Amino acid sequence: MARFWIGCLAALVVGQAASAQITLGFIGDEGKFGKHNMPAYEWAKGNYDTTVIPVADVPGADLKQYGVVWWHDGDANPALAWDEGAGDTLVSYLEAGGTVLLSAGAEQLATSMGVESGVPRWYATAADAHLAGLVVRDDTAKHPVWKG
């Protein structure tokens, strides 16, 4: 699994010279991008040769044309739009050597795809309104990481 994530991150964290050569398929419904998805999409579009792949088009899509396929979803729960055909398509792409980055709420899809056995922890807005949506445990409240 570490190889999976390292490959994902390495593909996105390349120099600007190489970025023009990377084609990125950004999974999402562009007309529905909100305050979380739009900045991710705009960053991808500004740094890579980016094409939007609508969620409904993922099952059976030919993804081999993309160097990276990125599913970022912070505006909605992508599990609600999940289709086993999408998982099969993404897993086939991975097995053929492709790179998939799942971020924000889309991280949970790694479990649905069968490439991860655990379920990621979600940090929604917490009662204490911490900017990151985290609930800081009392036993770690004085740790320097929380000082900002």
Side-chain angles (χ1 to χ4, degrees):
M1 190 66 206
R3 187 172 138 211
F4 168 80
W5 289 111
I6 291 169
C8 292
L9 293 173
L12 289 173
V13 186
V14 295
Q16 289 297 323
S19 68
Q21 300 171 10
I22 293 177
T23 55
L24 190 146
F26 192 90
I27 297 174
D29 296 313
E30 190 170 3
K32 296 179 181 176
F33 290 166
K35 68 179 184 177
H36 297 286
N37 293 5
M38 187 56 80
Y41 170 63
E42 288 175 347
W43 178 85
K45 190 170 68 170
N47 289 283
Y48 300 95
D49 178 13
T50 302
T51 302
V52 173
I53 305 168
V55 174
D57 292 353
V58 175
D62 180 10
L63 301 177
K64 65 182 175 221
Q65 63 186 307
Y66 303 108
V68 177
V69 173
W70 183 13
W71 193 335
H72 175 87
D73 208 327
D75 294 320
N77 181 350
L80 299 177
W82 182 249
D83 177 294
E84 286 301 321
D88 293 344
T89 299
L90 291 169
V91 169
S92 293
Y93 171 71
L94 279 170
E95 290 173 345
T99 302
V100 175
L101 174 62
L102 302 171
S103 59
E107 291 174 2
Q108 67 181 308
L109 300 179
T111 306
S112 301
M113 291 167 51
V115 297
E116 179 61 64
S117 60
V119 178
R121 291 177 59 182
W122 272 40
Y123 296 103
T125 304
D128 67 356
H130 192 278
L131 292 177
L134 300 174
V135 176
V136 180
R137 293 187 342 226
D138 290 338
D139 62 327
T140 65
K142 292 185 181 182
H143 193 283
V145 73
W146 303 120
K147 291 183 181 179

